[in-house]
Structures are given as C-alpha cells and as structure tokens.
Amino acid sequence: MLTAGFNRTAFGILLLTSVLSWFSYHVARNLVLHKQETQLEQSLLLTKRSITTEIDRFRSLPAIVGEDARVRALASDASPEAIDAANTYLERIVEQTGPADLYVLNAAGLTLAASNHATPQSFVGHDYSFRPYFRDALVAGNGRFYAIGVTTRKPGYFLSSRIDIAGAQPVVVVVKADLSPLEAAWSAAGVRIAIADRAGVVFLSGDPAWQYRPLQPLADQMLERLLQERTYDGVDLARAEPISSTLDSSRSADTSVIMPGADRQLMAKFAPLQPDDWQIVAAADVRQVDMIGALWAFAVFAVGLTTGAIFYVLRQRRQLVRMRLRQGELLERMVAERTHDLACEIDMRKRTEEELRQAQQGLIHSEKMAALGRMSTAIVHEVSQPLAALDATLATAGLLADQGRRADAGERLTKARDLVRRMQRTVKHLKTFARKDVSEFEILAVDSVIRNVLELASPRTKATGVDVDVAAGEALAVRAVSVKLEQAMLNLLLNALDAVQDRPDPRVRIEGRRIGEQVEIAIIDNGSGIAPDLRERIIEPFFTTKLTGEGLGLGLSIATTIIKECGGAIRFEDAEEGGTRTVITVPAANDAELRLEAAQ
C-alpha cells in the first residue's frame, strides 16, 4: 500500500514537472525574442542616424563647389586651361573633404572636369546622361542615387546639384560619397545590418552573403528599370537568389519577421530611410532562442526530478534509520569479532615475517659458511704454510742466538713476525666475512671492495692457478653494505673460478665503470658459459648445475637478494670470447655523500 501511494506521488511530481517544463520553455523563448526585438530596434535607430550623418556631410558640397568661378567658367569656356584649373580645384577639394570623387557635367551629361582626372579611371569625357541623378538635377535642381560606378566599378552614393549660369547652359556638380566604411564597421561589430533600395535590392550589408541580393523576388518591370539605369552594373540580378521568399511587401515597419534559411533562422525588423525611400534591415539569429528555451525547460525538469529524488531519499532515510537502529547492536558485535580476528592475523603475520627474516639471515650466513667450506682446503694451505715457515724460522733464530749471531737472529725474528701478520690478515678477513649482523649502508670505494674480495679468494685463486685481472677506476664509489656486497661478489667470483678450473688457459677479469647514476661491476670468465634455458633458473634457491655435490645451491640466489637490498640488480650475459659476463649494478654514491664521507 505504501508502494502504491509512493508511485502515485512520483507520477504526480513527474506530470507537474513536465507541464512546468513546457510552460517555462515558451515563457523563456518569448522573453528572449522580445529582448532581441528590442535590440534590433536600437540597431535600426543607430544605423539610421549614422547613415544620415554620413550623407549630410556631403549633401551641400555640390552646391558649394558650384559657386566657385573655375567651375562656373566651364559652362562657357571648355578650353584646356579652364578644364585644368577646374580639375586642380576639384582634386584639392577631395583631398580636404574626403569624398570618393567630385566631377562636373555639362547640360548634355558629358564630364568636363573631375577630381580623378589624373588616374586611369578618370571620369573626364564620359557620358553619364543615363544616370537618374543627372536627370533629376536638371529637372528639380538636385538629385541623389546609389549605384555601382560604370567607370571605376566601385559603388557609391551620388549627390548632384544643378548650377544655373546667366547667359549659358547650366552645369551639374556631382559628388560620389564612399559608404563602404559603414559596411566595415557593421562587419567588425558582428551585427547583421543591411540597406536596401526602393526596389528591395541590398546594396550595403555587414553580411557579404546579402550583398546585391533582393529581399524578395523582383518584378520583371523593376528588373528592367534597374538594367536601364545600370544601377548595379556588372551584377546579374536576374540570377540573384532572394534573401527570403516569404516576405510580405505590405508588412508594417514595426513588424518582426522570421526569415527561415537552410542553416539559420533570422528575426528581421525594417525601418524606412528617407528621402531615398530606402529600407534599413536589422536581423539576428534566433536559433539560440530555442536553445535557451530548452535549457530553461531542462532546468525546471531537473529541479522537479531533484525534488522527487529528495522526497524519495527522505522517505528511504526514515526507513533506513529504523533498520539501522535494529541492526546497530548486531553490527557492533560483528565489528568487535572482526577486530579481534584482524588483531590475531596481524600478530601472526608479524611473527611469520620475523621468522622469514631470521630464516633469510640464516640462509645468507649458511651460504657464507658454505663458501668458506668450498675454500677450506686452500685456506688450510694458506695458514699451514706460513706456520711451517714460522716454525723453521724460529728454530733457525734460536740456533743463531746460541751462536751469538744476534743480527742474523733478529732478521729471522722479523721474517717470523711478517708471517704472523700474514696469518692475522687472513683470519681477520675470514672473521669479518663470517659476521652475521652487519646491515648498515656506507660509502664504499669499489677498488677497496674488490681488493678485499680478492684477499678472501686468494687461497682459491692460488689453488686453481688463476691470476684475476682487475680493471676498475679508483674514483668509483657506491652506497651499500660492505660485508654483503663483498659476499655477493665473492660468491660470483668463486663461481667464475669453478667455471674455468678445467680450462687450459683459465682467465677471470673484474671490470668496473660508472653509467649515469649506477656503477657496474662485471666478473668475466672464459668458462663454458650458461645455457640459455638455465639463465632464468640459476637464481632459484637450491638449484645447482654442479655434479660434485659441493655447495647448497644458494650462492646466486643469495647474491641476487643481497644486491637487491642494496638497490641494485644482477644480470648474466655471454662474454665476447666465450664464457659468462656477470654484471652487478649498484647505485653510485653522489657528490654530496662523497664530500660528507671525506669530511668525516
């Protein structure tokens, strides 16, 4: 029953939201249309004032120019001197006032003088009797006409005045004003403003696509008149597509018209411009009107859905609160049990990690002892030989002392002391290597590490007769644990010695170099090498390729672990002359660490 009531409420909210969305769409659309209509009316008013102001600048200029004696003299004197004087005067007037062109016609419509007399497009000698501005000036005294120039092919607004001269035929002074700056201003402002003549042909427009197109289809009689007057000379008005085929010629000036198009929909308003019977057209794209209305409808719909969602959430929240009150005690008990289980699991994990850590340290120590075991025979030889020599030397010293030869006895004692130091040095390295609790990082000189490793391995190298070649720069330094790095290198060096012990020309070489922020230490032998299918397995614990049963199979595994703890890595490559090239990569000590080490 509660579900049915909730469904009815949700349906009511959805229905009300839909109605409000539809209503808000139309209200918002009408408001935006009214605002655009107001803006278009302001554009019409401003455009009308700007055009009137621009034309008024030149309206009186023909009559004023006609009062000059040089212009009036042309009515009775058409000599070259009189024409040159008039040309010069007209050219100077144009420079000062800024119209496009200024020229004088005789009573037959022939141009006598012009401001552009010195240009290739000079008006001088041309007959403009067919132009309405000439005929109107002869009949009414003044004329005005907008057209494309038949000589310059440039459009302009022609203003003319008849100059009556006693005893002679009248002359007509014409000024051609350039109105193209208005087009440039409209285009730069991004407004769609146009001026159409009495025939409805647009001759000024901020939108180049409207230029020289009729607002509506032209009648045949009007088209014929435009062709006779050569108003838009060079423009094929018969093929010009009308801007709109839906405009009503009897429309009111205050009426807004929607003009549909293929890619846009325009709202247009019209205003008359006298005395030329022109029409000013201001248009705006109304596609965004529908978008704004849709946004308002969507916003109202979203608010309605949000209200319904809030209602639903509040209702569900009340139910959840009741449910949580019932389940609170159960959840607390489950959380307590889970917390206890987690605490036990954490303790178990800590104990396991500690046991694994101890086991790892034990394995590392076992491998150290295994390495020492592998060298035990050579170590015994290394210690027993100096002991035998020490015994013989001390016996000889005793005999020399009995004979009173103290100098010779002292020399023998010195040799005995050197033998004791040699054994102490060997034992010291073995004790240091066998330590189990060294883990502090320090700055190590690579050449010092190599010397210690060679010292530890010297019994084995002597036993196998291999002379290890070393090529490492003295300036190389790394940051690692000394004993662990030595252990890893010793394991790898012993493996190399094992690999070459049966070779007729055994060779082992140690190289060191710095590459970027890393130091590479390579141990190279000319043994039998490592089979490609075994390279991934040789670092596995307890894996060994030795058939004699020596070692635990942990050397390479522990060496890899040790180098990883030092922030490095081990890789195995084929040597150029056969055998294996084992490369240890360890982070190099930076300059700051080296300076600190030197200061200490």
Side-chain angles (χ1 to χ4, degrees), residues 404-453:
R405 298 167 59 183
R406 294 185 176 181
D408 294 335
E411 183 178 352
R412 293 294 187 277
L413 290 175
T414 300
K415 291 181 178 180
R417 186 177 181 185
D418 292 339
L419 291 171
V420 171
R421 288 176 177 175
R422 175 182 173 185
M423 289 185 291
Q424 285 178 336
R425 187 166 60 251
T426 300
V427 172
K428 178 182 178 182
H429 281 302
L430 293 174
K431 288 173 63 180
T432 302
F433 181 73
R435 279 190 301 173
K436 191 176 180 181
D437 57 349
V438 178
S439 61
E440 290 188 3
F441 281 78
E442 53 188 326
I443 306 303
L444 305 175
V446 173
D447 59 341
S448 175
V449 174
I450 294 176
R451 284 198 304 270
N452 292 341
V453 171

Side-chain angles (χ1 to χ4, degrees), residues 73-83 106 112:
L74 294 175
S76 56
D77 183 9
S79 63
E81 293 79 7
I83 292 175
N106 63 12
L112 301 176

